Amino acid sequence: PVAAAAGPNLLDGMPAIVLLQVLVLLPAALVGVYALGARLAGRAVGLGAALLWVAGPWVAIPLFDADYHEKFVDQFLPQALGLTAMSDLPSTVALLAAALLTVRVLDHDDVWAGAAAGVGAGLALAIKPSVALALPAFALGLAVAGRWRAILGAFAGLALPVLALVVWKARGVGYLPAFTSGEAHVAAGGVFTPVEKYVDWSFDHLHQIERDLRGEFFSVRLLEVAPLVGIVGLARRTLPGAILVGGWFWLVVLVKGGSSLASIDSGSFFRYVMPVYPAFCVLVAALLLLVPTYGRRLAAVSRPGPPSRRTSIAVAAPLSLAFTAVLAVTALVTPVDRPVTVRWASTQPLIPVVDDLQPQASSDGKRVTLRWEDAPPTSAATFYRVFRGRDDDLDCSDDGGALYCTLLTQPVGQVREPVFSEEPPGPGRWIYRVSVAADYRDDPNEGDPVVISGPVAVSTS
């Protein structure tokens, strides 16, 4: 819906995305963390988990080395607080909602309650498929509690969101990436499996993550021991709940931490493990259950009653209808068949192609001069990055899905004013594009292009 209104430029949709995350998702997450802790172990644990959810990011700042301040505060916290368009916060909140719906089932073996939990888990899976790492812990918690009818309902509820995700992938990409190997793998003659493609895990890398974190954080042991002891405290109150929350935490941390993509130096590790933050808050708050005398009384406090079937239907039905609508729209729409967006490199975000800049190129035979319309003023400090290439400057895929184009041109300079001049490396026909770029430090040598112009050709002798 945001893209339908704002178009392909992500920045045009950013205000709506940020408002949704800050005004809706963050308060919902706070309520969800409290409700999860309270349902598992009483109101005191719920309040403790909620307090840690709010204060934790700020308390953690002075615990990091001063040299790491920029990466944690300037790069990670804006994502954790919903100030970017990344999917990490929405997937975390969706997984929290799925966990809360699953914990409700621990009190009552009901098919509809299980279906509500399944649809909630499917929502998290549709937003970010990697959160599936936590779902085995959810299933194991239900199995230990003997909630077999609820497990069947959960699988049924999970089916519709997964089907919508599969159709969306197939329509958008043209095939299912999870079951298609890359060209390099085929050339090597290997036998592809989804696990091999998506779980690039090693114990050595996990150990490296621990060593790097030890160099930046005042006590890695605190981060390791607190959730482990919290599982013991939670097990004193509810063994299935301890398995569910503890398994959720450790499965994601261990698998994500062992992935070659995770890094302490770049700060990506903290973003990759964001789905476990609610579980971490509940486990640390569950340490209250181990306090002598008080913990015993707290463990004996009655929990909320089992969910009613009416409430479960009220949760499952609207979500199922929403996924049915998504499935229908996805199956009917036509994938994009023109280069509305392009990618500069495989690791770079998609860049919308716009007509506003209207670059014009001229040549005196040896030197090329480009001029273009000045970009509309914004509240951000922007600059221009010029790309140059030979002949056809796009490499576009045609796999039956949306057209996916990568620029074959390379950046050749940055300027502040709408004019650029250079002497190309040789005679011939050259293709130029002009992009508007920005960097939060206003460094023209850094940052990413946010929009890019169409191509303009010029010949030199």
Short mmCIF file of all heavy atoms in Angstrom, two decimals, residues 368-408:
data_model
loop_
_atom_site.label_atom_id
_atom_site.label_comp_id
_atom_site.label_asym_id
_atom_site.label_seq_id
_atom_site.Cartn_x
_atom_site.Cartn_y
_atom_site.Cartn_z
N VAL A 368 34.05 15.61 -22.40
CA VAL A 368 32.59 15.52 -22.28
C VAL A 368 32.13 16.44 -21.16
O VAL A 368 32.73 16.47 -20.07
CB VAL A 368 32.15 14.07 -22.01
CG1 VAL A 368 30.66 14.02 -21.67
CG2 VAL A 368 32.45 13.19 -23.20
N THR A 369 31.07 17.19 -21.44
CA THR A 369 30.47 18.05 -20.41
C THR A 369 29.00 17.67 -20.26
O THR A 369 28.27 17.57 -21.25
CB THR A 369 30.57 19.53 -20.79
OG1 THR A 369 31.94 19.88 -20.93
CG2 THR A 369 29.92 20.40 -19.72
N LEU A 370 28.61 17.43 -19.03
CA LEU A 370 27.21 17.09 -18.72
C LEU A 370 26.59 18.23 -17.93
O LEU A 370 27.21 18.80 -17.01
CB LEU A 370 27.14 15.81 -17.88
CG LEU A 370 27.25 14.49 -18.62
CD1 LEU A 370 28.37 13.67 -18.04
CD2 LEU A 370 25.96 13.72 -18.51
N ARG A 371 25.34 18.53 -18.27
CA ARG A 371 24.54 19.49 -17.50
C ARG A 371 23.16 18.88 -17.29
O ARG A 371 22.66 18.14 -18.14
CB ARG A 371 24.42 20.82 -18.23
CG ARG A 371 25.76 21.51 -18.48
CD ARG A 371 25.59 22.84 -19.19
NE ARG A 371 26.87 23.42 -19.53
CZ ARG A 371 27.62 24.14 -18.70
NH1 ARG A 371 27.16 24.40 -17.47
NH2 ARG A 371 28.78 24.63 -19.08
N TRP A 372 22.55 19.19 -16.17
CA TRP A 372 21.24 18.64 -15.85
C TRP A 372 20.46 19.59 -14.96
O TRP A 372 21.01 20.57 -14.43
CB TRP A 372 21.38 17.27 -15.17
CG TRP A 372 22.21 17.30 -13.91
CD1 TRP A 372 21.78 17.51 -12.64
CD2 TRP A 372 23.63 17.09 -13.82
NE1 TRP A 372 22.83 17.45 -11.75
CE2 TRP A 372 23.98 17.20 -12.44
CE3 TRP A 372 24.65 16.85 -14.74
CZ2 TRP A 372 25.29 17.03 -12.00
CZ3 TRP A 372 25.95 16.69 -14.29
CH2 TRP A 372 26.25 16.80 -12.93
N GLU A 373 19.19 19.32 -14.85
CA GLU A 373 18.32 20.13 -13.99
C GLU A 373 18.69 19.90 -12.52
O GLU A 373 18.96 18.78 -12.11
CB GLU A 373 16.86 19.76 -14.21
CG GLU A 373 16.35 20.03 -15.61
CD GLU A 373 16.29 21.52 -15.93
OE1 GLU A 373 16.07 22.31 -14.97
OE2 GLU A 373 16.48 21.89 -17.10
N ASP A 374 18.67 20.98 -11.77
CA ASP A 374 18.97 20.86 -10.34
C ASP A 374 17.88 20.05 -9.64
O ASP A 374 16.70 20.19 -9.95
CB ASP A 374 19.07 22.24 -9.71
CG ASP A 374 20.03 22.26 -8.54
OD1 ASP A 374 20.45 21.16 -8.12
OD2 ASP A 374 20.37 23.35 -8.07
N ALA A 375 18.29 19.20 -8.71
CA ALA A 375 17.32 18.38 -7.97
C ALA A 375 16.45 19.26 -7.10
O ALA A 375 16.91 20.30 -6.58
CB ALA A 375 18.05 17.35 -7.12
N PRO A 376 15.18 18.89 -6.90
CA PRO A 376 14.31 19.68 -6.02
C PRO A 376 14.91 19.78 -4.62
O PRO A 376 15.53 18.83 -4.13
CB PRO A 376 13.01 18.86 -6.00
CG PRO A 376 13.04 18.05 -7.26
CD PRO A 376 14.48 17.74 -7.50
N PRO A 377 14.79 20.91 -3.97
CA PRO A 377 15.37 21.07 -2.62
C PRO A 377 14.70 20.13 -1.61
O PRO A 377 13.50 19.87 -1.68
CB PRO A 377 15.09 22.54 -2.29
CG PRO A 377 13.92 22.91 -3.16
CD PRO A 377 14.07 22.11 -4.42
N THR A 378 15.50 19.63 -0.70
CA THR A 378 15.01 18.77 0.38
C THR A 378 15.62 19.23 1.69
O THR A 378 16.49 20.11 1.71
CB THR A 378 15.38 17.29 0.13
OG1 THR A 378 16.80 17.15 0.24
CG2 THR A 378 14.95 16.84 -1.26
N SER A 379 15.19 18.61 2.77
CA SER A 379 15.76 18.94 4.07
C SER A 379 17.13 18.31 4.26
O SER A 379 17.84 18.63 5.22
CB SER A 379 14.82 18.47 5.19
OG SER A 379 14.60 17.07 5.08
N ALA A 380 17.52 17.39 3.36
CA ALA A 380 18.82 16.72 3.46
C ALA A 380 19.83 17.41 2.55
O ALA A 380 19.47 17.99 1.52
CB ALA A 380 18.69 15.25 3.08
N ALA A 381 21.09 17.35 2.92
CA ALA A 381 22.17 17.85 2.08
C ALA A 381 22.51 16.77 1.06
O ALA A 381 22.92 15.67 1.43
CB ALA A 381 23.39 18.20 2.92
N THR A 382 22.33 17.07 -0.22
CA THR A 382 22.56 16.09 -1.27
C THR A 382 23.68 16.54 -2.19
O THR A 382 24.09 17.70 -2.19
CB THR A 382 21.28 15.85 -2.09
OG1 THR A 382 20.87 17.09 -2.69
CG2 THR A 382 20.16 15.33 -1.21
N PHE A 383 24.16 15.62 -2.99
CA PHE A 383 25.16 15.90 -4.01
C PHE A 383 24.87 14.99 -5.19
O PHE A 383 23.95 14.16 -5.15
CB PHE A 383 26.58 15.68 -3.46
CG PHE A 383 26.76 14.36 -2.75
CD1 PHE A 383 27.18 13.23 -3.44
CD2 PHE A 383 26.53 14.26 -1.38
CE1 PHE A 383 27.35 12.03 -2.80
CE2 PHE A 383 26.71 13.04 -0.72
CZ PHE A 383 27.11 11.93 -1.43
N TYR A 384 25.64 15.14 -6.26
CA TYR A 384 25.41 14.37 -7.48
C TYR A 384 26.57 13.40 -7.69
O TYR A 384 27.73 13.78 -7.51
CB TYR A 384 25.27 15.29 -8.69
CG TYR A 384 24.16 16.31 -8.55
CD1 TYR A 384 24.44 17.62 -8.22
CD2 TYR A 384 22.84 15.95 -8.77
CE1 TYR A 384 23.43 18.56 -8.08
CE2 TYR A 384 21.82 16.89 -8.66
CZ TYR A 384 22.12 18.19 -8.31
OH TYR A 384 21.12 19.11 -8.18
N ARG A 385 26.22 12.19 -8.08
CA ARG A 385 27.24 11.20 -8.45
C ARG A 385 27.00 10.81 -9.90
O ARG A 385 25.88 10.46 -10.28
CB ARG A 385 27.17 9.98 -7.54
CG ARG A 385 28.24 8.93 -7.83
CD ARG A 385 28.31 7.90 -6.72
NE ARG A 385 28.78 8.53 -5.49
CZ ARG A 385 28.46 8.11 -4.28
NH1 ARG A 385 27.64 7.08 -4.12
NH2 ARG A 385 28.93 8.73 -3.21
N VAL A 386 28.06 10.89 -10.71
CA VAL A 386 27.96 10.65 -12.15
C VAL A 386 28.50 9.26 -12.47
O VAL A 386 29.56 8.86 -11.96
CB VAL A 386 28.74 11.71 -12.94
CG1 VAL A 386 28.66 11.43 -14.44
CG2 VAL A 386 28.20 13.11 -12.63
N PHE A 387 27.73 8.52 -13.30
CA PHE A 387 28.12 7.17 -13.72
C PHE A 387 28.44 7.19 -15.22
O PHE A 387 27.79 7.89 -16.00
CB PHE A 387 26.99 6.18 -13.47
CG PHE A 387 26.74 5.90 -12.01
CD1 PHE A 387 26.05 6.81 -11.22
CD2 PHE A 387 27.20 4.74 -11.42
CE1 PHE A 387 25.81 6.55 -9.88
CE2 PHE A 387 26.98 4.47 -10.08
CZ PHE A 387 26.29 5.39 -9.32
N ARG A 388 29.44 6.39 -15.61
CA ARG A 388 29.82 6.31 -17.02
C ARG A 388 30.02 4.84 -17.42
O ARG A 388 30.53 4.04 -16.64
CB ARG A 388 31.13 7.06 -17.25
CG ARG A 388 31.58 7.05 -18.72
CD ARG A 388 33.00 7.57 -18.85
NE ARG A 388 33.95 6.71 -18.18
CZ ARG A 388 35.00 7.13 -17.48
NH1 ARG A 388 35.21 8.42 -17.33
NH2 ARG A 388 35.82 6.27 -16.91
N GLY A 389 29.58 4.53 -18.64
CA GLY A 389 29.76 3.18 -19.15
C GLY A 389 29.78 3.16 -20.66
O GLY A 389 29.66 4.20 -21.32
N ARG A 390 29.92 1.97 -21.23
CA ARG A 390 29.98 1.78 -22.67
C ARG A 390 28.66 1.23 -23.20
O ARG A 390 28.04 0.36 -22.58
CB ARG A 390 31.08 0.79 -23.02
CG ARG A 390 32.48 1.36 -22.95
CD ARG A 390 32.81 2.16 -24.20
NE ARG A 390 34.24 2.37 -24.36
CZ ARG A 390 34.79 3.04 -25.36
NH1 ARG A 390 34.02 3.56 -26.29
NH2 ARG A 390 36.09 3.20 -25.43
N ASP A 391 28.22 1.69 -24.35
CA ASP A 391 27.10 1.12 -25.08
C ASP A 391 25.90 0.86 -24.17
O ASP A 391 25.42 1.76 -23.52
CB ASP A 391 27.54 -0.15 -25.82
CG ASP A 391 28.65 0.14 -26.81
OD1 ASP A 391 28.62 1.23 -27.40
OD2 ASP A 391 29.55 -0.70 -26.96
N ASP A 392 25.42 -0.40 -24.12
CA ASP A 392 24.28 -0.76 -23.28
C ASP A 392 24.70 -0.75 -21.82
O ASP A 392 25.59 -1.51 -21.41
CB ASP A 392 23.75 -2.14 -23.67
CG ASP A 392 22.44 -2.46 -22.97
OD1 ASP A 392 21.94 -1.59 -22.23
OD2 ASP A 392 21.92 -3.57 -23.17
N ASP A 393 24.12 0.13 -21.03
CA ASP A 393 24.58 0.28 -19.65
C ASP A 393 23.76 -0.49 -18.64
O ASP A 393 23.94 -0.32 -17.43
CB ASP A 393 24.59 1.77 -19.27
CG ASP A 393 23.18 2.35 -19.16
OD1 ASP A 393 22.28 1.81 -19.83
OD2 ASP A 393 23.00 3.32 -18.42
N LEU A 394 22.86 -1.37 -19.08
CA LEU A 394 22.03 -2.16 -18.16
C LEU A 394 22.14 -3.64 -18.48
O LEU A 394 22.19 -4.04 -19.64
CB LEU A 394 20.56 -1.74 -18.24
CG LEU A 394 20.16 -0.38 -17.67
CD1 LEU A 394 18.67 -0.18 -17.84
CD2 LEU A 394 20.56 -0.25 -16.21
N ASP A 395 22.18 -4.44 -17.44
CA ASP A 395 22.09 -5.90 -17.56
C ASP A 395 20.80 -6.31 -16.87
O ASP A 395 20.71 -6.27 -15.64
CB ASP A 395 23.30 -6.57 -16.91
CG ASP A 395 23.22 -8.09 -16.97
OD1 ASP A 395 22.49 -8.61 -17.84
OD2 ASP A 395 23.88 -8.76 -16.14
N CYS A 396 19.79 -6.68 -17.66
CA CYS A 396 18.46 -6.96 -17.12
C CYS A 396 18.14 -8.45 -17.19
O CYS A 396 18.40 -9.10 -18.21
CB CYS A 396 17.39 -6.18 -17.87
SG CYS A 396 17.55 -4.39 -17.70
N SER A 397 17.60 -8.98 -16.10
CA SER A 397 17.19 -10.38 -16.06
C SER A 397 15.81 -10.53 -16.70
O SER A 397 15.03 -9.59 -16.73
CB SER A 397 17.13 -10.87 -14.61
OG SER A 397 16.11 -10.17 -13.90
N ASP A 398 15.54 -11.71 -17.20
CA ASP A 398 14.24 -12.00 -17.79
C ASP A 398 13.84 -13.42 -17.40
O ASP A 398 13.89 -14.34 -18.21
CB ASP A 398 14.28 -11.84 -19.31
CG ASP A 398 12.90 -11.95 -19.94
OD1 ASP A 398 11.92 -11.92 -19.19
OD2 ASP A 398 12.82 -12.09 -21.17
N ASP A 399 13.48 -13.59 -16.13
CA ASP A 399 13.16 -14.91 -15.60
C ASP A 399 11.66 -15.13 -15.46
O ASP A 399 11.23 -16.06 -14.79
CB ASP A 399 13.83 -15.10 -14.23
CG ASP A 399 15.35 -15.08 -14.34
OD1 ASP A 399 15.88 -15.72 -15.27
OD2 ASP A 399 15.99 -14.41 -13.52
N GLY A 400 10.86 -14.26 -16.06
CA GLY A 400 9.42 -14.41 -15.96
C GLY A 400 8.80 -13.58 -14.86
O GLY A 400 7.58 -13.53 -14.74
N GLY A 401 9.63 -12.94 -14.03
CA GLY A 401 9.10 -12.10 -12.97
C GLY A 401 9.29 -10.63 -13.32
O GLY A 401 9.32 -10.25 -14.48
N ALA A 402 9.42 -9.81 -12.29
CA ALA A 402 9.66 -8.39 -12.51
C ALA A 402 11.03 -8.19 -13.13
O ALA A 402 11.98 -8.92 -12.82
CB ALA A 402 9.55 -7.63 -11.19
N LEU A 403 11.14 -7.21 -14.02
CA LEU A 403 12.42 -6.91 -14.67
C LEU A 403 13.41 -6.44 -13.61
O LEU A 403 13.12 -5.53 -12.83
CB LEU A 403 12.23 -5.84 -15.74
CG LEU A 403 13.40 -5.66 -16.72
CD1 LEU A 403 13.57 -6.91 -17.56
CD2 LEU A 403 13.13 -4.45 -17.62
N TYR A 404 14.58 -7.04 -13.58
CA TYR A 404 15.58 -6.77 -12.56
C TYR A 404 16.86 -6.34 -13.26
O TYR A 404 17.48 -7.12 -13.98
CB TYR A 404 15.81 -8.05 -11.74
CG TYR A 404 16.71 -7.89 -10.55
CD1 TYR A 404 16.18 -7.52 -9.31
CD2 TYR A 404 18.07 -8.12 -10.64
CE1 TYR A 404 17.00 -7.39 -8.20
CE2 TYR A 404 18.89 -7.99 -9.54
CZ TYR A 404 18.36 -7.62 -8.33
OH TYR A 404 19.17 -7.48 -7.23
N CYS A 405 17.22 -5.06 -13.14
CA CYS A 405 18.32 -4.50 -13.93
C CYS A 405 19.47 -4.04 -13.03
O CYS A 405 19.25 -3.44 -11.97
CB CYS A 405 17.83 -3.31 -14.75
SG CYS A 405 16.58 -3.76 -15.99
N THR A 406 20.68 -4.33 -13.47
CA THR A 406 21.89 -3.92 -12.78
C THR A 406 22.68 -2.98 -13.68
O THR A 406 22.86 -3.27 -14.87
CB THR A 406 22.76 -5.12 -12.40
OG1 THR A 406 22.01 -6.01 -11.58
CG2 THR A 406 24.01 -4.68 -11.64
N LEU A 407 23.16 -1.89 -13.13
CA LEU A 407 23.95 -0.94 -13.90
C LEU A 407 25.31 -1.54 -14.26
O LEU A 407 25.98 -2.13 -13.41
CB LEU A 407 24.17 0.34 -13.11
CG LEU A 407 23.00 1.33 -13.00
CD1 LEU A 407 23.36 2.45 -12.02
CD2 LEU A 407 22.66 1.92 -14.35
N LEU A 408 25.70 -1.39 -15.50
CA LEU A 408 27.04 -1.78 -15.93
C LEU A 408 28.00 -0.61 -15.88
O LEU A 408 29.20 -0.78 -16.11
CB LEU A 408 26.98 -2.35 -17.36
CG LEU A 408 26.09 -3.58 -17.54
CD1 LEU A 408 26.08 -4.00 -19.00
CD2 LEU A 408 26.56 -4.73 -16.66
#
